[in-house]
Amino acid sequence: MTQTISDNYIGIYGKGTETVFKLFDRASGSYLRDIGGIGRGPGEYLSISSAQIDEAGGKVWISTLETNKIYCYDIGTGRLIADIKLPYKAENNNNNGYNFVVDSLSETITVAPLPFKDKCPSSAWCQDFEGNIIWEIPEAYTLEENVLLTMQTYNNIPDTMDLCFNSNNTIQDTIYVVEDRELRPLLAVQFEGVTEPGHIDFSEDKIFRQPVLLPDYAVIKLSKIAGMTSKGPEYILDYEYLSSVVMDRSTGKVGLHNIVDDIMEWSDNDFTFSNGYLVRSFDAMTFKEAGSKALTDGTLSDTARERITAILSGLSDNSNNILMIAPSSSRFPVRCRTTSGIFA
């Protein structure tokens, strides 16, 4: 599941699956309401490709895989307010539709599609809520169509749209930024030889990558398949997290480093940064172990210690997942560890 976070809300949805966007109160974790619904009627959708909580504007914005629009919902009722038509039809694949960032103050939307060859004539553009283009970046590069290619926007940097590409099989894992009406590549890494666009390898030791952009660092998280667990008719992949590729944006230096959270003491490099927050989702059994370890070995504030103790006291193996959220500053809220010590 994918999370989008604001000061007072948490949104949960399944990217590319028939799951409804669910809104939660961030302070209490209480479920508030569904945003829209599954279906083909007014205000409904079949699969979400990207979503943003616009707390300042009192809205939730959603793009889907099956339509050429971005939908606007009232955050207080979950009902559809408007659908914003996009000027181009990018015809993206089943894993990724449009990535977008809404600025409610200027009433603009910056949009970027996957740059498939002979599809969308624009790499990115900015439009108003009426669908009029304000500026655009003409097609600057193209990729062969690939059903496994995804592009994530994490929104960790104000006034900057990050485009984090992840293919797992055919191209470099590349981070681009749309900034000051320009599209610039920031970090590109090729790990293995390319394969066919529709091929993915789930064999043991296969490397998987996840790029993410932060204010001071560009990071490509690395993991490898460590095995497969059977869960009824489904199979769940087990991952071993490896050192991450980390680029210091101020110096341009790149190296392999372990990113360590020494508050909750979880596994090295098992992290997510989104909407300016460090986010980690625990299932109930994992949180029992991690929370207990944090109480004895971690560096918790009094407030965090009280909160973890309260969660553990009412936790059962069948409880819902626990979401840990830590505000991100301009620097890493965790540490990067090398074999020679700690750097910040």
Side-chain angles (χ1 to χ4, degrees):
M1 302 299 284
T2 302
Q3 306 95 24
T4 181
I5 299 164
S6 69
D7 289 343
N8 294 295
Y9 298 102
I10 299 169
I12 305 292
Y13 65 95
K15 190 178 178 73
T17 63
E18 289 193 13
T19 55
V20 71
F21 186 105
K22 293 189 175 295
L23 190 70
F24 295 83
D25 177 77
R26 184 175 153 185
S28 66
S30 301
Y31 164 76
L32 296 175
R33 64 193 58 88
D34 288 354
I35 303 297
I38 299 299
R40 298 182 183 274
E44 296 179 335
Y45 43 81
L46 295 179
S47 53
I48 297 173
S49 63
S50 189
Q52 179 184 339
I53 296 175
D54 172 20
E55 191 169 323
K59 301 176 179 68
V60 174
W61 299 81
I62 290 175
S63 65
T64 72
L65 294 175
E66 66 272 4
T67 62
N68 199 50
K69 296 178 179 179
I70 293 176
Y71 296 94
C72 175
Y73 297 87
D74 180 81
I75 201 169
T77 65
R79 295 176 182 171
L80 182 70
I81 299 173
D83 51 62
I84 312 298
K85 187 175 181 180
L86 303 179
Y88 299 117
K89 186 177 181 181
E91 300 180 52
N92 287 321
N93 64 24
N94 292 330
N95 286 336
N96 203 124
Y98 293 94
N99 285 37
F100 69 91
V101 175
V102 173
D103 186 333
S104 60
L105 296 179
S106 64
E107 295 189 347
T108 59
I109 309 174
T110 303
V111 187
L114 281 168
F116 287 147
K117 189 175 181 180
D118 301 323
K119 296 293 185 180
C120 184
S122 180
S123 293
W125 69 88
C126 180
Q127 66 177 76
D128 60 25
F129 288 177
E130 304 300 320
N132 302 305
I133 294 178
I134 299 171
W135 55 263
E136 69 177 307
I137 302 170
E139 186 179 75
Y141 63 112
T142 60
L143 301 171
E144 293 297 326
E145 191 160 356
N146 172 13
V147 297
L148 298 173
L149 179 63
T150 60
M151 179 176 67
Q152 185 71 40
T153 294
Y154 291 99
N155 294 319
N156 288 310
I157 307 174
D159 303 318
T160 298
M161 183 179 188
D162 57 301
L163 305 176
C164 298
F165 288 81
N166 188 344
S167 70
N168 286 334
N169 71 336
T170 59
I171 62 167
Q172 311 94 299
D173 296 283
T174 307
I175 300 176
Y176 291 86
V177 292
V178 178
E179 197 172 43
D180 298 326
R181 303 189 180 188
E182 293 183 348
L183 175 69
R184 295 184 291 106
L186 194 63
L187 176 64
V189 180
Q190 180 85 47
F191 291 96
E192 300 166 325
V194 300
T195 57
E196 293 298 319
H199 175 77
I200 188 167
D201 186 356
F202 287 122
S203 59
E204 196 163 328
D205 294 332
K206 173 69 177 177
I207 300 295
F208 283 81
R209 293 89 69 183
Q210 182 183 352
V212 63
L213 182 63
L214 298 168
D216 295 304
Y217 298 95
V219 181
I220 298 179
K221 183 174 73 171
L222 304 182
S223 58
K224 69 177 182 179
I225 296 178
M228 191 175 293
T229 302
S230 174
K231 190 176 182 181
E234 299 180 351
Y235 289 91
I236 299 174
L237 293 174
D238 300 316
Y239 294 94
E240 176 186 346
Y241 293 97
L242 310 174
S243 298
S244 297
V245 177
V246 179
M247 183 186 81
D248 187 321
R249 297 185 63 191
S250 64
T251 64
K253 294 179 66 174
V254 179
L256 288 173
H257 302 284
N258 290 329
I259 299 174
V260 181
D261 168 59
D262 48 7
I263 298 176
M264 284 293 292
E265 296 287 338
W266 71 56
S267 302
D268 291 356
N269 305 310
D270 185 8
F271 64 92
T272 299
F273 289 96
S274 181
N275 305 109
Y277 296 95
L278 183 148
V279 185
R280 172 73 197 269
S281 179
F282 295 87
D283 61 51
M285 294 182 67
T286 303
F287 189 82
K288 281 185 177 181
E289 180 181 351
S292 299
K293 183 175 176 60
L295 290 174
T296 57
D297 301 337
T299 55
L300 300 173
S301 66
D302 291 340
T303 301
R305 181 174 294 277
E306 291 174 5
R307 182 64 175 148
I308 290 174
T309 301
I311 292 172
L312 289 173
S313 67
L315 202 63
S316 71
D317 291 348
N318 296 320
S319 295
N320 291 336
N321 279 19
I322 296 91
L323 199 65
M324 193 188 90
I325 302 171
S328 174
S329 65
S330 62
R331 308 297 293 181
F332 267 133
V334 289
R335 299 190 297 178
C336 296
R337 184 170 64 202
T338 67
T339 55
S340 59
I342 303 292
F343 79 94

mmCIF file of all heavy atoms in Angstrom, residues 152 154-157 160-164 175-179 186-187 210-220 247 249 273-274:
data_model
loop_
_atom_site.group_PDB
_atom_site.id
_atom_site.type_symbol
_atom_site.label_atom_id
_atom_site.label_comp_id
_atom_site.label_asym_id
_atom_site.label_seq_id
_atom_site.Cartn_x
_atom_site.Cartn_y
_atom_site.Cartn_z
ATOM 1 N N GLN A 152 8.023 7.425 -9.671
ATOM 2 C CA GLN A 152 7.443 7.862 -8.403
ATOM 3 C C GLN A 152 7.829 9.303 -8.120
ATOM 4 O O GLN A 152 8.959 9.716 -8.385
ATOM 5 C CB GLN A 152 7.943 6.970 -7.261
ATOM 6 C CG GLN A 152 7.313 7.255 -5.923
ATOM 7 C CD GLN A 152 5.866 6.814 -5.852
ATOM 8 O OE1 GLN A 152 5.508 5.767 -6.362
ATOM 9 N NE2 GLN A 152 5.036 7.619 -5.229
ATOM 10 N N TYR A 154 7.981 11.747 -4.824
ATOM 11 C CA TYR A 154 7.905 11.639 -3.368
ATOM 12 C C TYR A 154 7.606 12.967 -2.670
ATOM 13 O O TYR A 154 7.269 12.982 -1.485
ATOM 14 C CB TYR A 154 9.203 11.051 -2.818
ATOM 15 C CG TYR A 154 9.382 9.602 -3.189
ATOM 16 C CD1 TYR A 154 10.190 9.230 -4.263
ATOM 17 C CD2 TYR A 154 8.737 8.596 -2.484
ATOM 18 C CE1 TYR A 154 10.357 7.900 -4.618
ATOM 19 C CE2 TYR A 154 8.896 7.266 -2.826
ATOM 20 C CZ TYR A 154 9.708 6.919 -3.897
ATOM 21 O OH TYR A 154 9.860 5.607 -4.254
ATOM 22 N N ASN A 155 7.765 14.092 -3.372
ATOM 23 C CA ASN A 155 7.390 15.403 -2.818
ATOM 24 C C ASN A 155 8.102 15.721 -1.508
ATOM 25 O O ASN A 155 7.501 16.203 -0.551
ATOM 26 C CB ASN A 155 5.870 15.492 -2.606
ATOM 27 C CG ASN A 155 5.104 15.463 -3.906
ATOM 28 O OD1 ASN A 155 5.510 16.087 -4.879
ATOM 29 N ND2 ASN A 155 4.005 14.729 -3.937
ATOM 30 N N ASN A 156 9.411 15.467 -1.453
ATOM 31 C CA ASN A 156 10.172 15.773 -0.241
ATOM 32 C C ASN A 156 10.797 17.167 -0.259
ATOM 33 O O ASN A 156 11.346 17.598 0.759
ATOM 34 C CB ASN A 156 11.280 14.736 -0.044
ATOM 35 C CG ASN A 156 10.741 13.379 0.374
ATOM 36 O OD1 ASN A 156 9.953 13.275 1.308
ATOM 37 N ND2 ASN A 156 11.147 12.337 -0.330
ATOM 38 N N ILE A 157 10.735 17.849 -1.408
ATOM 39 C CA ILE A 157 11.387 19.146 -1.553
ATOM 40 C C ILE A 157 10.370 20.166 -2.046
ATOM 41 O O ILE A 157 9.779 19.994 -3.122
ATOM 42 C CB ILE A 157 12.567 19.076 -2.538
ATOM 43 C CG1 ILE A 157 13.531 17.946 -2.145
ATOM 44 C CG2 ILE A 157 13.303 20.404 -2.593
ATOM 45 C CD1 ILE A 157 14.634 17.717 -3.142
ATOM 46 N N THR A 160 9.807 21.688 -5.969
ATOM 47 C CA THR A 160 10.558 20.801 -6.853
ATOM 48 C C THR A 160 9.766 19.517 -7.050
ATOM 49 O O THR A 160 9.316 18.914 -6.088
ATOM 50 C CB THR A 160 11.938 20.449 -6.263
ATOM 51 O OG1 THR A 160 12.711 21.640 -6.120
ATOM 52 C CG2 THR A 160 12.689 19.485 -7.172
ATOM 53 N N MET A 161 9.595 19.126 -8.306
ATOM 54 C CA MET A 161 8.927 17.861 -8.608
ATOM 55 C C MET A 161 10.003 16.827 -8.943
ATOM 56 O O MET A 161 10.769 17.001 -9.890
ATOM 57 C CB MET A 161 7.968 18.016 -9.782
ATOM 58 C CG MET A 161 7.184 16.756 -10.101
ATOM 59 S SD MET A 161 6.036 17.006 -11.480
ATOM 60 C CE MET A 161 5.119 15.458 -11.424
ATOM 61 N N ASP A 162 10.093 15.789 -8.144
ATOM 62 C CA ASP A 162 11.068 14.738 -8.394
ATOM 63 C C ASP A 162 10.435 13.622 -9.204
ATOM 64 O O ASP A 162 9.276 13.266 -8.992
ATOM 65 C CB ASP A 162 11.625 14.190 -7.084
ATOM 66 C CG ASP A 162 10.541 13.661 -6.157
ATOM 67 O OD1 ASP A 162 9.650 14.443 -5.786
ATOM 68 O OD2 ASP A 162 10.576 12.457 -5.813
ATOM 69 N N LEU A 163 11.198 13.075 -10.140
ATOM 70 C CA LEU A 163 10.764 11.947 -10.964
ATOM 71 C C LEU A 163 11.771 10.831 -10.762
ATOM 72 O O LEU A 163 12.893 10.888 -11.274
ATOM 73 C CB LEU A 163 10.688 12.346 -12.440
ATOM 74 C CG LEU A 163 9.807 13.562 -12.762
ATOM 75 C CD1 LEU A 163 9.891 13.903 -14.247
ATOM 76 C CD2 LEU A 163 8.361 13.314 -12.362
ATOM 77 N N CYS A 164 11.393 9.832 -9.978
ATOM 78 C CA CYS A 164 12.292 8.734 -9.622
ATOM 79 C C CYS A 164 11.899 7.497 -10.419
ATOM 80 O O CYS A 164 10.866 6.879 -10.158
ATOM 81 C CB CYS A 164 12.225 8.463 -8.119
ATOM 82 S SG CYS A 164 12.764 9.866 -7.109
ATOM 83 N N ILE A 175 17.121 9.546 -11.377
ATOM 84 C CA ILE A 175 16.341 10.559 -10.690
ATOM 85 C C ILE A 175 16.438 11.862 -11.479
ATOM 86 O O ILE A 175 17.533 12.345 -11.765
ATOM 87 C CB ILE A 175 16.851 10.783 -9.259
ATOM 88 C CG1 ILE A 175 16.760 9.485 -8.444
ATOM 89 C CG2 ILE A 175 16.058 11.893 -8.577
ATOM 90 C CD1 ILE A 175 17.344 9.599 -7.049
ATOM 91 N N TYR A 176 15.296 12.378 -11.882
ATOM 92 C CA TYR A 176 15.211 13.680 -12.544
ATOM 93 C C TYR A 176 14.505 14.653 -11.609
ATOM 94 O O TYR A 176 13.763 14.255 -10.704
ATOM 95 C CB TYR A 176 14.393 13.592 -13.836
ATOM 96 C CG TYR A 176 15.042 12.822 -14.959
ATOM 97 C CD1 TYR A 176 14.912 11.437 -15.052
ATOM 98 C CD2 TYR A 176 15.765 13.470 -15.954
ATOM 99 C CE1 TYR A 176 15.488 10.725 -16.085
ATOM 100 C CE2 TYR A 176 16.341 12.763 -17.010
ATOM 101 C CZ TYR A 176 16.203 11.395 -17.060
ATOM 102 O OH TYR A 176 16.769 10.691 -18.095
ATOM 103 N N VAL A 177 14.698 15.963 -11.860
ATOM 104 C CA VAL A 177 13.936 16.980 -11.153
ATOM 105 C C VAL A 177 13.337 17.942 -12.173
ATOM 106 O O VAL A 177 13.961 18.272 -13.181
ATOM 107 C CB VAL A 177 14.786 17.763 -10.132
ATOM 108 C CG1 VAL A 177 15.201 16.881 -8.986
ATOM 109 C CG2 VAL A 177 16.011 18.391 -10.778
ATOM 110 N N VAL A 178 12.088 18.350 -11.902
ATOM 111 C CA VAL A 178 11.463 19.437 -12.652
ATOM 112 C C VAL A 178 11.503 20.645 -11.734
ATOM 113 O O VAL A 178 10.840 20.687 -10.694
ATOM 114 C CB VAL A 178 10.012 19.096 -13.035
ATOM 115 C CG1 VAL A 178 9.371 20.266 -13.786
ATOM 116 C CG2 VAL A 178 9.958 17.827 -13.882
ATOM 117 N N GLU A 179 12.318 21.631 -12.110
ATOM 118 C CA GLU A 179 12.594 22.759 -11.232
ATOM 119 C C GLU A 179 12.862 23.990 -12.085
ATOM 120 O O GLU A 179 13.622 23.928 -13.066
ATOM 121 C CB GLU A 179 13.817 22.434 -10.369
ATOM 122 C CG GLU A 179 14.009 23.277 -9.154
ATOM 123 C CD GLU A 179 15.134 22.716 -8.296
ATOM 124 O OE1 GLU A 179 16.189 22.310 -8.840
ATOM 125 O OE2 GLU A 179 14.963 22.675 -7.076
ATOM 126 N N LEU A 186 19.571 13.973 -12.360
ATOM 127 C CA LEU A 186 20.349 14.220 -11.149
ATOM 128 C C LEU A 186 21.283 13.058 -10.821
ATOM 129 O O LEU A 186 22.417 13.263 -10.442
ATOM 130 C CB LEU A 186 19.396 14.476 -9.977
ATOM 131 C CG LEU A 186 19.989 15.064 -8.712
ATOM 132 C CD1 LEU A 186 20.569 16.447 -8.981
ATOM 133 C CD2 LEU A 186 18.941 15.143 -7.615
ATOM 134 N N LEU A 187 20.782 11.846 -10.955
ATOM 135 C CA LEU A 187 21.591 10.672 -10.635
ATOM 136 C C LEU A 187 21.114 9.507 -11.486
ATOM 137 O O LEU A 187 19.926 9.223 -11.543
ATOM 138 C CB LEU A 187 21.459 10.311 -9.149
ATOM 139 C CG LEU A 187 22.177 9.042 -8.676
ATOM 140 C CD1 LEU A 187 23.687 9.187 -8.832
ATOM 141 C CD2 LEU A 187 21.836 8.733 -7.221
ATOM 142 N N GLN A 210 15.206 1.170 -5.567
ATOM 143 C CA GLN A 210 14.162 2.171 -5.346
ATOM 144 C C GLN A 210 14.813 3.531 -5.161
ATOM 145 O O GLN A 210 15.355 3.839 -4.102
ATOM 146 C CB GLN A 210 13.312 1.825 -4.120
ATOM 147 C CG GLN A 210 12.184 2.824 -3.882
ATOM 148 C CD GLN A 210 11.394 2.509 -2.630
ATOM 149 O OE1 GLN A 210 11.574 1.478 -2.011
ATOM 150 N NE2 GLN A 210 10.521 3.416 -2.249
ATOM 151 N N PRO A 211 14.771 4.404 -6.189
ATOM 152 C CA PRO A 211 15.356 5.744 -6.042
ATOM 153 C C PRO A 211 14.438 6.647 -5.231
ATOM 154 O O PRO A 211 13.214 6.511 -5.258
ATOM 155 C CB PRO A 211 15.451 6.247 -7.502
ATOM 156 C CG PRO A 211 15.129 5.062 -8.366
ATOM 157 C CD PRO A 211 14.304 4.141 -7.544
ATOM 158 N N VAL A 212 15.038 7.608 -4.520
ATOM 159 C CA VAL A 212 14.268 8.612 -3.791
ATOM 160 C C VAL A 212 15.128 9.872 -3.685
ATOM 161 O O VAL A 212 16.355 9.790 -3.553
ATOM 162 C CB VAL A 212 13.852 8.108 -2.390
ATOM 163 C CG1 VAL A 212 15.050 7.827 -1.522
ATOM 164 C CG2 VAL A 212 12.913 9.100 -1.710
ATOM 165 N N LEU A 213 14.490 11.038 -3.768
ATOM 166 C CA LEU A 213 15.198 12.312 -3.704
ATOM 167 C C LEU A 213 14.873 13.021 -2.400
ATOM 168 O O LEU A 213 13.706 13.140 -2.014
ATOM 169 C CB LEU A 213 14.807 13.203 -4.895
ATOM 170 C CG LEU A 213 15.510 14.563 -4.974
ATOM 171 C CD1 LEU A 213 17.013 14.380 -5.153
ATOM 172 C CD2 LEU A 213 14.928 15.393 -6.110
ATOM 173 N N LEU A 214 15.916 13.500 -1.721
ATOM 174 C CA LEU A 214 15.790 14.267 -0.487
ATOM 175 C C LEU A 214 16.437 15.636 -0.691
ATOM 176 O O LEU A 214 17.164 15.839 -1.674
ATOM 177 C CB LEU A 214 16.463 13.513 0.657
ATOM 178 C CG LEU A 214 15.852 12.146 0.979
ATOM 179 C CD1 LEU A 214 16.777 11.378 1.908
ATOM 180 C CD2 LEU A 214 14.481 12.311 1.604
ATOM 181 N N PRO A 215 16.197 16.594 0.206
ATOM 182 C CA PRO A 215 16.759 17.930 0.000
ATOM 183 C C PRO A 215 18.271 17.944 -0.215
ATOM 184 O O PRO A 215 18.765 18.680 -1.066
ATOM 185 C CB PRO A 215 16.370 18.666 1.286
ATOM 186 C CG PRO A 215 15.101 18.008 1.720
ATOM 187 C CD PRO A 215 15.279 16.563 1.365
ATOM 188 N N ASP A 216 19.013 17.138 0.532
ATOM 189 C CA ASP A 216 20.471 17.185 0.451
ATOM 190 C C ASP A 216 21.103 15.937 -0.161
ATOM 191 O O ASP A 216 22.320 15.911 -0.373
ATOM 192 C CB ASP A 216 21.059 17.408 1.840
ATOM 193 C CG ASP A 216 20.675 18.767 2.395
ATOM 194 O OD1 ASP A 216 20.953 19.773 1.731
ATOM 195 O OD2 ASP A 216 20.061 18.816 3.477
ATOM 196 N N TYR A 217 20.290 14.925 -0.424
ATOM 197 C CA TYR A 217 20.832 13.672 -0.936
ATOM 198 C C TYR A 217 19.916 13.091 -2.013
ATOM 199 O O TYR A 217 18.703 13.283 -1.971
ATOM 200 C CB TYR A 217 20.976 12.627 0.185
ATOM 201 C CG TYR A 217 21.931 13.020 1.287
ATOM 202 C CD1 TYR A 217 21.453 13.637 2.441
ATOM 203 C CD2 TYR A 217 23.288 12.779 1.175
ATOM 204 C CE1 TYR A 217 22.326 14.005 3.452
ATOM 205 C CE2 TYR A 217 24.162 13.146 2.188
ATOM 206 C CZ TYR A 217 23.676 13.762 3.319
ATOM 207 O OH TYR A 217 24.541 14.128 4.319
ATOM 208 N N ALA A 218 20.537 12.389 -2.954
ATOM 209 C CA ALA A 218 19.803 11.512 -3.855
ATOM 210 C C ALA A 218 20.196 10.084 -3.479
ATOM 211 O O ALA A 218 21.379 9.784 -3.304
ATOM 212 C CB ALA A 218 20.158 11.796 -5.310
ATOM 213 N N VAL A 219 19.199 9.217 -3.322
ATOM 214 C CA VAL A 219 19.442 7.879 -2.784
ATOM 215 C C VAL A 219 18.805 6.826 -3.688
ATOM 216 O O VAL A 219 17.689 7.020 -4.177
ATOM 217 C CB VAL A 219 18.841 7.736 -1.361
ATOM 218 C CG1 VAL A 219 19.108 6.351 -0.799
ATOM 219 C CG2 VAL A 219 19.419 8.795 -0.433
ATOM 220 N N ILE A 220 19.522 5.745 -3.924
ATOM 221 C CA ILE A 220 18.929 4.572 -4.559
ATOM 222 C C ILE A 220 19.055 3.412 -3.575
ATOM 223 O O ILE A 220 20.156 2.934 -3.287
ATOM 224 C CB ILE A 220 19.599 4.231 -5.898
ATOM 225 C CG1 ILE A 220 19.414 5.382 -6.881
ATOM 226 C CG2 ILE A 220 19.014 2.949 -6.476
ATOM 227 C CD1 ILE A 220 20.048 5.162 -8.239
ATOM 228 N N MET A 247 24.156 9.967 -3.029
ATOM 229 C CA MET A 247 24.871 11.097 -3.602
ATOM 230 C C MET A 247 24.634 12.333 -2.745
ATOM 231 O O MET A 247 23.489 12.713 -2.496
ATOM 232 C CB MET A 247 24.409 11.389 -5.034
ATOM 233 C CG MET A 247 25.207 12.527 -5.696
ATOM 234 S SD MET A 247 24.591 13.024 -7.322
ATOM 235 C CE MET A 247 23.230 14.086 -6.833
ATOM 236 N N ARG A 249 24.257 15.984 -2.601
ATOM 237 C CA ARG A 249 23.924 16.957 -3.638
ATOM 238 C C ARG A 249 24.791 18.202 -3.577
ATOM 239 O O ARG A 249 24.929 18.908 -4.573
ATOM 240 C CB ARG A 249 22.447 17.338 -3.548
ATOM 241 C CG ARG A 249 21.501 16.165 -3.807
ATOM 242 C CD ARG A 249 20.063 16.621 -3.832
ATOM 243 N NE ARG A 249 19.826 17.556 -4.924
ATOM 244 C CZ ARG A 249 18.712 18.272 -5.068
ATOM 245 N NH1 ARG A 249 17.758 18.181 -4.153
ATOM 246 N NH2 ARG A 249 18.575 19.101 -6.086
ATOM 247 N N PHE A 273 10.928 7.715 2.387
ATOM 248 C CA PHE A 273 10.734 9.138 2.613
ATOM 249 C C PHE A 273 9.656 9.620 1.662
ATOM 250 O O PHE A 273 9.763 9.434 0.453
ATOM 251 C CB PHE A 273 12.024 9.922 2.366
ATOM 252 C CG PHE A 273 13.081 9.717 3.409
ATOM 253 C CD1 PHE A 273 14.097 8.798 3.224
ATOM 254 C CD2 PHE A 273 13.056 10.443 4.577
ATOM 255 C CE1 PHE A 273 15.076 8.609 4.178
ATOM 256 C CE2 PHE A 273 14.036 10.267 5.555
ATOM 257 C CZ PHE A 273 15.044 9.346 5.351
ATOM 258 N N SER A 274 8.610 10.269 2.200
ATOM 259 C CA SER A 274 7.512 10.743 1.369
ATOM 260 C C SER A 274 6.878 11.975 1.997
ATOM 261 O O SER A 274 6.658 12.000 3.214
ATOM 262 C CB SER A 274 6.454 9.632 1.204
ATOM 263 O OG SER A 274 5.391 10.062 0.393
#
